[in-house]
Short mmCIF file of all heavy atoms in Angstrom, two decimals:
data_model
loop_
_atom_site.label_atom_id
_atom_site.label_comp_id
_atom_site.label_asym_id
_atom_site.label_seq_id
_atom_site.Cartn_x
_atom_site.Cartn_y
_atom_site.Cartn_z
N MET K 1 174.68 139.87 237.55
CA MET K 1 175.07 138.49 237.67
C MET K 1 175.98 138.36 238.91
O MET K 1 176.91 139.12 239.10
CB MET K 1 175.81 138.05 236.41
CG MET K 1 176.28 136.62 236.49
SD MET K 1 177.42 136.29 235.15
CE MET K 1 176.53 135.07 234.26
N CYS K 2 175.76 137.37 239.74
CA CYS K 2 176.51 137.13 240.96
C CYS K 2 177.73 136.27 240.64
O CYS K 2 177.63 135.26 239.97
CB CYS K 2 175.62 136.43 241.97
SG CYS K 2 176.45 136.11 243.52
N ALA K 3 178.87 136.72 241.13
CA ALA K 3 180.10 135.94 240.92
C ALA K 3 180.05 134.67 241.75
O ALA K 3 179.54 134.65 242.86
CB ALA K 3 181.31 136.78 241.31
N MET K 4 180.60 133.58 241.19
CA MET K 4 180.65 132.32 241.91
C MET K 4 181.69 132.40 243.01
O MET K 4 182.72 133.05 242.86
CB MET K 4 180.98 131.17 240.96
CG MET K 4 179.86 130.84 240.02
SD MET K 4 180.20 129.36 239.05
CE MET K 4 180.37 128.13 240.32
N GLN K 5 181.42 131.71 244.12
CA GLN K 5 182.37 131.66 245.22
C GLN K 5 183.61 130.90 244.79
O GLN K 5 183.52 129.84 244.18
CB GLN K 5 181.71 130.98 246.41
CG GLN K 5 182.58 130.94 247.64
CD GLN K 5 181.89 130.24 248.80
OE1 GLN K 5 181.16 129.29 248.60
NE2 GLN K 5 182.15 130.72 249.99
N LYS K 6 184.76 131.42 245.09
CA LYS K 6 186.01 130.75 244.76
C LYS K 6 186.40 129.81 245.88
O LYS K 6 186.09 130.03 247.05
CB LYS K 6 187.11 131.76 244.51
CG LYS K 6 186.87 132.56 243.23
CD LYS K 6 188.04 133.38 242.86
CE LYS K 6 187.76 134.06 241.53
NZ LYS K 6 188.92 134.78 241.05
N THR K 7 187.11 128.74 245.51
CA THR K 7 187.55 127.72 246.46
C THR K 7 189.06 127.73 246.56
O THR K 7 189.76 127.76 245.54
CB THR K 7 187.07 126.33 246.00
OG1 THR K 7 185.64 126.35 245.92
CG2 THR K 7 187.49 125.25 246.98
N VAL K 8 189.55 127.70 247.79
CA VAL K 8 190.98 127.65 248.04
C VAL K 8 191.29 126.41 248.87
O VAL K 8 190.55 126.09 249.80
CB VAL K 8 191.51 128.94 248.74
CG1 VAL K 8 190.86 129.16 250.08
CG2 VAL K 8 193.02 128.92 248.86
N LEU K 9 192.33 125.70 248.50
CA LEU K 9 192.80 124.52 249.23
C LEU K 9 194.00 124.96 250.06
O LEU K 9 194.93 125.58 249.54
CB LEU K 9 193.22 123.42 248.25
CG LEU K 9 193.97 122.23 248.84
CD1 LEU K 9 193.07 121.45 249.80
CD2 LEU K 9 194.49 121.33 247.74
N ILE K 10 193.97 124.66 251.37
CA ILE K 10 195.06 125.05 252.26
C ILE K 10 195.56 123.82 253.00
O ILE K 10 194.79 123.12 253.66
CB ILE K 10 194.62 126.12 253.27
CG1 ILE K 10 194.08 127.36 252.53
CG2 ILE K 10 195.77 126.49 254.20
CD1 ILE K 10 193.53 128.45 253.44
N THR K 11 196.86 123.55 252.88
CA THR K 11 197.49 122.53 253.71
C THR K 11 198.16 123.26 254.86
O THR K 11 198.57 124.42 254.72
CB THR K 11 198.53 121.70 252.94
OG1 THR K 11 199.63 122.54 252.58
CG2 THR K 11 197.94 121.05 251.71
N GLY K 12 198.24 122.62 256.00
CA GLY K 12 198.84 123.28 257.16
C GLY K 12 197.91 124.31 257.78
O GLY K 12 198.35 125.22 258.47
N ALA K 13 196.62 124.16 257.56
CA ALA K 13 195.63 125.15 258.02
C ALA K 13 195.48 125.20 259.53
O ALA K 13 194.94 126.17 260.05
CB ALA K 13 194.28 124.87 257.36
N THR K 14 195.97 124.19 260.25
CA THR K 14 195.85 124.20 261.70
C THR K 14 197.10 124.73 262.38
O THR K 14 197.15 124.86 263.61
CB THR K 14 195.52 122.80 262.26
OG1 THR K 14 196.56 121.89 261.89
CG2 THR K 14 194.18 122.32 261.76
N GLY K 15 198.11 125.06 261.61
CA GLY K 15 199.34 125.63 262.17
C GLY K 15 199.17 127.12 262.45
O GLY K 15 198.11 127.71 262.17
N ASN K 16 200.20 127.73 263.01
CA ASN K 16 200.12 129.15 263.37
C ASN K 16 199.83 130.03 262.16
O ASN K 16 198.90 130.85 262.19
CB ASN K 16 201.41 129.60 264.06
CG ASN K 16 201.57 129.00 265.42
OD1 ASN K 16 200.59 128.73 266.12
ND2 ASN K 16 202.80 128.78 265.83
N LEU K 17 200.61 129.91 261.10
CA LEU K 17 200.37 130.68 259.88
C LEU K 17 199.08 130.25 259.21
O LEU K 17 198.28 131.08 258.77
CB LEU K 17 201.55 130.53 258.91
CG LEU K 17 201.40 131.22 257.56
CD1 LEU K 17 201.23 132.73 257.73
CD2 LEU K 17 202.61 130.92 256.68
N GLY K 18 198.86 128.95 259.15
CA GLY K 18 197.66 128.41 258.49
C GLY K 18 196.36 128.93 259.06
O GLY K 18 195.42 129.24 258.33
N ARG K 19 196.26 129.03 260.38
CA ARG K 19 195.03 129.53 261.01
C ARG K 19 194.75 130.97 260.61
O ARG K 19 193.61 131.33 260.31
CB ARG K 19 195.12 129.42 262.53
CG ARG K 19 195.00 128.00 263.02
CD ARG K 19 195.03 127.95 264.55
NE ARG K 19 195.12 126.59 265.03
CZ ARG K 19 194.07 125.81 265.27
NH1 ARG K 19 192.86 126.26 265.05
NH2 ARG K 19 194.24 124.59 265.71
N VAL K 20 195.78 131.79 260.58
CA VAL K 20 195.61 133.20 260.21
C VAL K 20 195.18 133.30 258.75
O VAL K 20 194.23 134.01 258.41
CB VAL K 20 196.90 134.00 260.47
CG1 VAL K 20 196.80 135.41 259.92
CG2 VAL K 20 197.23 134.02 261.96
N VAL K 21 195.88 132.59 257.88
CA VAL K 21 195.57 132.63 256.45
C VAL K 21 194.16 132.09 256.19
O VAL K 21 193.39 132.67 255.41
CB VAL K 21 196.63 131.83 255.65
CG1 VAL K 21 196.22 131.65 254.20
CG2 VAL K 21 197.98 132.51 255.75
N THR K 22 193.80 131.01 256.86
CA THR K 22 192.47 130.43 256.70
C THR K 22 191.40 131.44 257.09
O THR K 22 190.42 131.63 256.37
CB THR K 22 192.34 129.14 257.54
OG1 THR K 22 193.28 128.19 257.04
CG2 THR K 22 190.95 128.56 257.47
N ASP K 23 191.59 132.11 258.22
CA ASP K 23 190.62 133.12 258.67
C ASP K 23 190.47 134.25 257.65
O ASP K 23 189.36 134.72 257.40
CB ASP K 23 191.03 133.70 260.02
CG ASP K 23 190.84 132.73 261.17
OD1 ASP K 23 190.13 131.70 260.99
OD2 ASP K 23 191.41 132.98 262.26
N VAL K 24 191.58 134.67 257.05
CA VAL K 24 191.53 135.73 256.04
C VAL K 24 190.70 135.30 254.84
O VAL K 24 189.83 136.04 254.37
CB VAL K 24 192.95 136.16 255.60
CG1 VAL K 24 192.90 137.05 254.36
CG2 VAL K 24 193.67 136.86 256.74
N PHE K 25 190.92 134.09 254.35
CA PHE K 25 190.17 133.61 253.18
C PHE K 25 188.69 133.42 253.50
O PHE K 25 187.83 133.74 252.68
CB PHE K 25 190.79 132.34 252.61
CG PHE K 25 191.93 132.62 251.67
CD1 PHE K 25 193.23 132.69 252.13
CD2 PHE K 25 191.69 132.84 250.32
CE1 PHE K 25 194.28 132.98 251.28
CE2 PHE K 25 192.73 133.14 249.45
CZ PHE K 25 194.03 133.21 249.93
N VAL K 26 188.37 132.93 254.68
CA VAL K 26 186.97 132.79 255.08
C VAL K 26 186.32 134.17 255.13
O VAL K 26 185.23 134.38 254.59
CB VAL K 26 186.83 132.06 256.44
CG1 VAL K 26 185.42 132.18 256.99
CG2 VAL K 26 187.23 130.59 256.29
N THR K 27 186.99 135.12 255.74
CA THR K 27 186.46 136.49 255.84
C THR K 27 186.26 137.11 254.47
O THR K 27 185.30 137.85 254.25
CB THR K 27 187.42 137.36 256.68
OG1 THR K 27 187.52 136.80 258.00
CG2 THR K 27 186.93 138.79 256.79
N ASP K 28 187.13 136.79 253.53
CA ASP K 28 187.03 137.33 252.17
C ASP K 28 186.01 136.59 251.30
O ASP K 28 185.88 136.89 250.12
CB ASP K 28 188.39 137.33 251.49
CG ASP K 28 189.32 138.43 252.02
OD1 ASP K 28 188.84 139.31 252.77
OD2 ASP K 28 190.51 138.40 251.68
N GLY K 29 185.32 135.60 251.88
CA GLY K 29 184.23 134.95 251.16
C GLY K 29 184.60 133.71 250.37
O GLY K 29 183.80 133.20 249.59
N TYR K 30 185.79 133.20 250.54
CA TYR K 30 186.20 131.99 249.85
C TYR K 30 185.60 130.76 250.53
O TYR K 30 185.38 130.76 251.74
CB TYR K 30 187.72 131.83 249.87
CG TYR K 30 188.46 132.68 248.88
CD1 TYR K 30 188.66 134.04 249.13
CD2 TYR K 30 188.99 132.14 247.72
CE1 TYR K 30 189.36 134.84 248.24
CE2 TYR K 30 189.69 132.93 246.82
CZ TYR K 30 189.87 134.28 247.09
OH TYR K 30 190.55 135.06 246.20
N GLN K 31 185.40 129.72 249.76
CA GLN K 31 185.13 128.41 250.33
C GLN K 31 186.51 127.82 250.61
O GLN K 31 187.33 127.69 249.70
CB GLN K 31 184.37 127.51 249.36
CG GLN K 31 184.13 126.13 249.94
CD GLN K 31 183.36 125.24 248.99
OE1 GLN K 31 183.71 125.12 247.82
NE2 GLN K 31 182.31 124.64 249.50
N VAL K 32 186.78 127.50 251.87
CA VAL K 32 188.09 126.99 252.26
C VAL K 32 188.01 125.49 252.48
O VAL K 32 187.19 125.01 253.26
CB VAL K 32 188.62 127.70 253.52
CG1 VAL K 32 189.94 127.09 253.96
CG2 VAL K 32 188.77 129.20 253.28
N VAL K 33 188.87 124.77 251.76
CA VAL K 33 189.01 123.33 251.91
C VAL K 33 190.41 123.11 252.49
O VAL K 33 191.39 123.60 251.93
CB VAL K 33 188.88 122.63 250.54
CG1 VAL K 33 189.13 121.14 250.66
CG2 VAL K 33 187.52 122.91 249.92
N ALA K 34 190.48 122.42 253.62
CA ALA K 34 191.75 122.27 254.31
C ALA K 34 192.13 120.81 254.46
O ALA K 34 191.30 119.97 254.76
CB ALA K 34 191.66 122.91 255.70
N LEU K 35 193.41 120.51 254.22
CA LEU K 35 193.96 119.20 254.54
C LEU K 35 194.58 119.32 255.92
O LEU K 35 195.42 120.20 256.16
CB LEU K 35 195.03 118.80 253.54
CG LEU K 35 194.56 118.49 252.12
CD1 LEU K 35 195.74 118.03 251.27
CD2 LEU K 35 193.48 117.44 252.12
N VAL K 36 194.12 118.48 256.84
CA VAL K 36 194.58 118.55 258.23
C VAL K 36 195.10 117.20 258.68
O VAL K 36 194.76 116.16 258.12
CB VAL K 36 193.43 119.02 259.16
CG1 VAL K 36 192.96 120.42 258.78
CG2 VAL K 36 192.27 118.05 259.15
N SER K 37 195.92 117.22 259.73
CA SER K 37 196.44 115.99 260.32
C SER K 37 195.32 115.22 260.99
O SER K 37 194.32 115.80 261.41
CB SER K 37 197.51 116.32 261.36
OG SER K 37 198.58 117.00 260.77
N SER K 38 195.54 113.93 261.14
CA SER K 38 194.56 113.06 261.78
C SER K 38 194.16 113.61 263.15
O SER K 38 195.02 114.01 263.94
CB SER K 38 195.15 111.66 261.92
OG SER K 38 194.22 110.81 262.55
N GLY K 39 192.86 113.65 263.40
CA GLY K 39 192.34 114.09 264.68
C GLY K 39 192.15 115.60 264.80
O GLY K 39 191.60 116.08 265.77
N LYS K 40 192.59 116.35 263.79
CA LYS K 40 192.42 117.80 263.83
C LYS K 40 191.27 118.21 262.92
O LYS K 40 191.05 117.61 261.88
CB LYS K 40 193.70 118.52 263.40
CG LYS K 40 194.84 118.28 264.36
CD LYS K 40 196.03 119.14 264.01
CE LYS K 40 197.14 118.92 265.03
NZ LYS K 40 198.29 119.77 264.76
N LYS K 41 190.55 119.20 263.34
CA LYS K 41 189.45 119.73 262.54
C LYS K 41 189.43 121.24 262.68
O LYS K 41 189.95 121.78 263.66
CB LYS K 41 188.12 119.15 263.02
CG LYS K 41 188.03 117.65 262.86
CD LYS K 41 186.66 117.25 262.38
CE LYS K 41 186.56 115.76 262.30
NZ LYS K 41 186.71 115.22 261.01
N LEU K 42 188.81 121.89 261.76
CA LEU K 42 188.61 123.33 261.83
C LEU K 42 187.11 123.59 261.87
O LEU K 42 186.32 122.81 261.32
CB LEU K 42 189.25 124.03 260.63
CG LEU K 42 190.77 123.94 260.58
CD1 LEU K 42 191.29 124.40 259.24
CD2 LEU K 42 191.38 124.79 261.69
N ALA K 43 186.72 124.67 262.47
CA ALA K 43 185.31 125.01 262.61
C ALA K 43 184.72 125.40 261.25
O ALA K 43 185.43 125.89 260.36
CB ALA K 43 185.15 126.16 263.60
N ALA K 44 183.41 125.18 261.12
CA ALA K 44 182.69 125.61 259.93
C ALA K 44 182.88 127.12 259.80
O ALA K 44 183.02 127.81 260.80
CB ALA K 44 181.22 125.25 260.06
N PRO K 45 182.94 127.60 258.59
CA PRO K 45 182.58 126.97 257.33
C PRO K 45 183.73 126.23 256.62
O PRO K 45 183.56 125.80 255.49
CB PRO K 45 182.12 128.15 256.48
CG PRO K 45 183.00 129.28 256.92
CD PRO K 45 183.20 129.05 258.40
N VAL K 46 184.87 126.09 257.27
CA VAL K 46 185.99 125.39 256.65
C VAL K 46 185.65 123.91 256.52
O VAL K 46 185.13 123.29 257.46
CB VAL K 46 187.29 125.57 257.48
CG1 VAL K 46 188.42 124.77 256.86
CG2 VAL K 46 187.66 127.04 257.59
N ILE K 47 185.95 123.34 255.37
CA ILE K 47 185.72 121.92 255.11
C ILE K 47 187.07 121.21 255.26
O ILE K 47 188.02 121.51 254.55
CB ILE K 47 185.15 121.70 253.69
CG1 ILE K 47 183.85 122.48 253.54
CG2 ILE K 47 184.96 120.22 253.42
CD1 ILE K 47 183.39 122.64 252.11
N SER K 48 187.15 120.31 256.24
CA SER K 48 188.41 119.65 256.55
C SER K 48 188.44 118.23 256.00
O SER K 48 187.46 117.51 256.08
CB SER K 48 188.60 119.58 258.07
OG SER K 48 188.66 120.86 258.63
N TYR K 49 189.60 117.85 255.48
CA TYR K 49 189.88 116.49 255.04
C TYR K 49 191.15 116.04 255.76
O TYR K 49 192.14 116.77 255.73
CB TYR K 49 190.11 116.42 253.53
CG TYR K 49 188.89 116.69 252.71
CD1 TYR K 49 188.54 117.99 252.37
CD2 TYR K 49 188.09 115.64 252.26
CE1 TYR K 49 187.41 118.24 251.60
CE2 TYR K 49 186.97 115.89 251.49
CZ TYR K 49 186.63 117.19 251.17
OH TYR K 49 185.51 117.44 250.41
N GLU K 50 191.12 114.88 256.39
CA GLU K 50 192.30 114.37 257.08
C GLU K 50 193.24 113.70 256.09
O GLU K 50 192.81 112.91 255.25
CB GLU K 50 191.90 113.36 258.16
CG GLU K 50 191.25 114.00 259.36
CD GLU K 50 191.01 113.01 260.49
OE1 GLU K 50 191.55 111.88 260.46
OE2 GLU K 50 190.29 113.39 261.42
N ALA K 51 194.53 114.02 256.22
CA ALA K 51 195.54 113.40 255.37
C ALA K 51 196.90 113.51 256.04
O ALA K 51 197.23 114.54 256.61
CB ALA K 51 195.59 114.07 254.00
N ASP K 52 197.68 112.45 255.94
CA ASP K 52 199.07 112.47 256.39
C ASP K 52 199.89 112.76 255.14
O ASP K 52 200.10 111.87 254.30
CB ASP K 52 199.46 111.13 257.01
CG ASP K 52 200.88 111.11 257.52
OD1 ASP K 52 201.66 112.04 257.19
OD2 ASP K 52 201.22 110.17 258.25
N LEU K 53 200.35 113.99 255.01
CA LEU K 53 201.04 114.41 253.80
C LEU K 53 202.38 113.71 253.59
O LEU K 53 202.94 113.77 252.50
CB LEU K 53 201.25 115.93 253.81
CG LEU K 53 199.95 116.75 253.87
CD1 LEU K 53 200.29 118.24 253.89
CD2 LEU K 53 199.04 116.43 252.71
N ALA K 54 202.86 112.99 254.59
CA ALA K 54 204.09 112.21 254.44
C ALA K 54 203.84 110.91 253.69
O ALA K 54 204.79 110.25 253.27
CB ALA K 54 204.69 111.90 255.82
N HIS K 55 202.57 110.56 253.48
CA HIS K 55 202.21 109.33 252.76
C HIS K 55 201.56 109.73 251.43
O HIS K 55 200.40 110.15 251.38
CB HIS K 55 201.26 108.47 253.60
CG HIS K 55 201.93 107.91 254.82
ND1 HIS K 55 202.11 108.64 255.96
CD2 HIS K 55 202.48 106.70 255.03
CE1 HIS K 55 202.74 107.91 256.85
NE2 HIS K 55 202.99 106.72 256.31
N GLU K 56 202.33 109.58 250.37
CA GLU K 56 201.91 110.04 249.05
C GLU K 56 200.60 109.40 248.58
O GLU K 56 199.71 110.08 248.07
CB GLU K 56 203.02 109.76 248.04
CG GLU K 56 202.73 110.30 246.66
CD GLU K 56 203.87 110.08 245.69
OE1 GLU K 56 204.96 109.63 246.09
OE2 GLU K 56 203.65 110.35 244.50
N ARG K 57 200.45 108.10 248.73
CA ARG K 57 199.25 107.41 248.25
C ARG K 57 198.01 107.90 248.99
O ARG K 57 196.98 108.16 248.40
CB ARG K 57 199.41 105.89 248.40
CG ARG K 57 198.23 105.06 247.92
CD ARG K 57 198.14 105.00 246.40
NE ARG K 57 197.08 105.89 245.95
CZ ARG K 57 197.00 106.46 244.76
NH1 ARG K 57 197.91 106.27 243.86
NH2 ARG K 57 196.02 107.25 244.45
N GLN K 58 198.11 108.02 250.32
CA GLN K 58 196.98 108.49 251.12
C GLN K 58 196.61 109.92 250.71
O GLN K 58 195.44 110.24 250.55
CB GLN K 58 197.31 108.44 252.61
CG GLN K 58 196.16 108.95 253.48
CD GLN K 58 196.53 109.16 254.93
OE1 GLN K 58 197.69 109.14 255.30
NE2 GLN K 58 195.53 109.36 255.75
N THR K 59 197.62 110.75 250.53
CA THR K 59 197.36 112.14 250.14
C THR K 59 196.69 112.20 248.78
O THR K 59 195.72 112.94 248.58
CB THR K 59 198.67 112.95 250.13
OG1 THR K 59 199.25 112.89 251.44
CG2 THR K 59 198.44 114.38 249.74
N ALA K 60 197.17 111.40 247.83
CA ALA K 60 196.56 111.36 246.50
C ALA K 60 195.11 110.91 246.56
O ALA K 60 194.24 111.48 245.88
CB ALA K 60 197.36 110.44 245.58
N ASP K 61 194.82 109.91 247.40
CA ASP K 61 193.44 109.44 247.56
C ASP K 61 192.54 110.53 248.12
O ASP K 61 191.40 110.71 247.66
CB ASP K 61 193.38 108.20 248.46
CG ASP K 61 193.99 106.96 247.81
OD1 ASP K 61 194.20 106.96 246.57
OD2 ASP K 61 194.27 106.00 248.56
N VAL K 62 193.04 111.28 249.11
CA VAL K 62 192.25 112.35 249.70
C VAL K 62 192.01 113.46 248.68
O VAL K 62 190.90 113.98 248.55
CB VAL K 62 192.91 112.89 250.99
CG1 VAL K 62 192.21 114.15 251.48
CG2 VAL K 62 192.92 111.83 252.07
N ILE K 63 193.04 113.81 247.92
CA ILE K 63 192.90 114.84 246.88
C ILE K 63 191.87 114.39 245.84
O ILE K 63 191.01 115.17 245.43
CB ILE K 63 194.25 115.15 246.22
CG1 ILE K 63 195.21 115.80 247.21
CG2 ILE K 63 194.07 116.04 244.98
CD1 ILE K 63 194.85 117.18 247.66
N ASP K 64 191.95 113.14 245.40
CA ASP K 64 190.96 112.62 244.44
C ASP K 64 189.55 112.75 245.00
O ASP K 64 188.62 113.15 244.30
CB ASP K 64 191.26 111.16 244.09
CG ASP K 64 192.48 110.99 243.21
OD1 ASP K 64 192.93 112.00 242.61
OD2 ASP K 64 192.98 109.85 243.12
N SER K 65 189.39 112.40 246.27
CA SER K 65 188.08 112.47 246.91
C SER K 65 187.56 113.90 246.98
O SER K 65 186.40 114.17 246.65
CB SER K 65 188.16 111.88 248.32
OG SER K 65 186.93 112.02 248.99
N LEU K 66 188.41 114.82 247.39
CA LEU K 66 187.93 116.20 247.51
C LEU K 66 187.63 116.82 246.16
O LEU K 66 186.74 117.65 246.03
CB LEU K 66 188.85 117.04 248.38
CG LEU K 66 190.17 117.57 247.87
CD1 LEU K 66 190.03 118.84 247.08
CD2 LEU K 66 191.08 117.81 249.05
N LEU K 67 188.37 116.40 245.12
CA LEU K 67 188.10 116.93 243.78
C LEU K 67 186.77 116.45 243.21
O LEU K 67 186.20 117.12 242.36
CB LEU K 67 189.25 116.61 242.83
CG LEU K 67 190.52 117.41 243.05
CD1 LEU K 67 191.64 116.91 242.15
CD2 LEU K 67 190.28 118.90 242.87
N THR K 68 186.27 115.30 243.68
CA THR K 68 184.95 114.87 243.23
C THR K 68 183.86 115.74 243.85
O THR K 68 182.79 115.89 243.27
CB THR K 68 184.67 113.39 243.56
OG1 THR K 68 184.69 113.21 244.97
CG2 THR K 68 185.68 112.48 242.90
N GLN K 69 184.14 116.31 245.00
CA GLN K 69 183.16 117.16 245.68
C GLN K 69 183.35 118.64 245.36
O GLN K 69 182.41 119.42 245.48
CB GLN K 69 183.24 116.94 247.18
CG GLN K 69 182.87 115.52 247.56
CD GLN K 69 183.03 115.26 249.04
OE1 GLN K 69 182.88 116.15 249.85
NE2 GLN K 69 183.34 114.02 249.38
N HIS K 70 184.55 119.03 245.01
CA HIS K 70 184.87 120.42 244.70
C HIS K 70 185.56 120.41 243.34
O HIS K 70 186.78 120.32 243.26
CB HIS K 70 185.81 121.02 245.75
CG HIS K 70 185.33 120.80 247.14
ND1 HIS K 70 184.37 121.58 247.74
CD2 HIS K 70 185.66 119.84 248.06
CE1 HIS K 70 184.15 121.13 248.97
NE2 HIS K 70 184.91 120.06 249.18
N ALA K 71 184.77 120.49 242.30
CA ALA K 71 185.28 120.29 240.94
C ALA K 71 186.37 121.28 240.55
O ALA K 71 187.22 120.98 239.72
CB ALA K 71 184.14 120.36 239.95
N LYS K 72 186.37 122.45 241.17
CA LYS K 72 187.35 123.47 240.79
C LYS K 72 188.00 124.04 242.05
O LYS K 72 187.33 124.50 242.95
CB LYS K 72 186.67 124.59 240.01
CG LYS K 72 187.62 125.64 239.54
CD LYS K 72 186.91 126.70 238.74
CE LYS K 72 187.90 127.77 238.31
NZ LYS K 72 187.23 128.99 237.93
N ILE K 73 189.31 124.00 242.08
CA ILE K 73 190.10 124.65 243.11
C ILE K 73 190.75 125.85 242.46
O ILE K 73 191.52 125.71 241.50
CB ILE K 73 191.18 123.70 243.69
CG1 ILE K 73 190.56 122.41 244.25
CG2 ILE K 73 192.01 124.41 244.74
CD1 ILE K 73 189.66 122.58 245.45
N ASP K 74 190.43 127.05 242.94
CA ASP K 74 190.93 128.27 242.32
C ASP K 74 192.33 128.63 242.76
O ASP K 74 193.07 129.30 242.03
CB ASP K 74 189.98 129.43 242.61
CG ASP K 74 188.60 129.18 242.01
OD1 ASP K 74 188.49 129.24 240.77
OD2 ASP K 74 187.65 128.92 242.76
N ALA K 75 192.69 128.22 243.98
CA ALA K 75 194.03 128.54 244.50
C ALA K 75 194.40 127.48 245.53
O ALA K 75 193.52 126.87 246.14
CB ALA K 75 194.03 129.91 245.14
N ALA K 76 195.69 127.30 245.72
CA ALA K 76 196.18 126.38 246.74
C ALA K 76 197.30 127.06 247.50
O ALA K 76 198.22 127.64 246.90
CB ALA K 76 196.66 125.08 246.12
N LEU K 77 197.22 126.97 248.82
CA LEU K 77 198.29 127.47 249.69
C LEU K 77 198.86 126.27 250.41
O LEU K 77 198.16 125.63 251.18
CB LEU K 77 197.74 128.49 250.69
CG LEU K 77 197.44 129.86 250.09
CD1 LEU K 77 196.07 129.86 249.49
CD2 LEU K 77 197.60 130.91 251.13
N LEU K 78 200.09 125.94 250.12
CA LEU K 78 200.73 124.76 250.65
C LEU K 78 201.63 125.17 251.82
O LEU K 78 202.81 125.44 251.64
CB LEU K 78 201.48 124.03 249.54
CG LEU K 78 200.65 123.79 248.27
CD1 LEU K 78 201.49 123.15 247.20
CD2 LEU K 78 199.41 122.97 248.58
N LEU K 79 201.03 125.22 253.02
CA LEU K 79 201.70 125.77 254.18
C LEU K 79 202.19 124.71 255.16
O LEU K 79 202.79 125.05 256.17
CB LEU K 79 200.75 126.74 254.91
CG LEU K 79 200.14 127.86 254.06
CD1 LEU K 79 199.16 128.67 254.89
CD2 LEU K 79 201.22 128.73 253.47
N ALA K 80 201.92 123.46 254.88
CA ALA K 80 202.33 122.38 255.79
C ALA K 80 203.84 122.25 255.81
O ALA K 80 204.50 122.44 254.80
CB ALA K 80 201.70 121.06 255.38
N GLY K 81 204.36 121.93 256.98
CA GLY K 81 205.77 121.63 257.09
C GLY K 81 206.52 122.73 257.69
O GLY K 81 207.63 122.85 257.90
#
């Protein structure tokens, strides 16, 4: 039986630490979902969602949206800030 791919949510994925951590999770076979600042994107296979984490309502809306597409988040790394 093949194990299901795990999903990790990373905030701050475009920062210095975030880029390194994101690369490690991609290399280890995780599906990486990243919250990024407006206008920033990460290369595939990372799935990027734009959010201004300083705005609670906007962040909640983005989280709700990504959870409809990724029903299970196995881990979260909150590296923004």
Side-chain angles (χ1 to χ4, degrees):
M1 178 192 243
C2 180
M4 289 187 61
Q5 183 181 35
K6 291 189 176 186
T7 301
V8 61
L9 169 65
I10 302 176
T11 66
T14 59
N16 291 329
L17 177 60
R19 287 183 188 272
V20 172
V21 171
T22 297
D23 288 344
V24 168
F25 276 91
V26 168
T27 299
D28 286 349
Y30 282 77
Q31 178 179 50
V32 177
V33 176
L35 291 183
V36 298
S37 299
S38 180
K40 295 188 178 182
K41 297 221 183 260
L42 294 168
V46 177
I47 302 165
S48 298
Y49 291 86
E50 288 187 12
D52 181 348
L53 299 179
H55 292 80
E56 185 177 352
R57 181 74 257 155
Q58 179 191 12
T59 302
D61 290 345
V62 171
I63 294 291
D64 288 344
S65 176
L66 76 83
L67 287 175
T68 63
Q69 296 176 30
H70 310 279
K72 182 178 178 198
I73 303 295
D74 297 289
L77 285 85
L78 310 177
L79 306 176

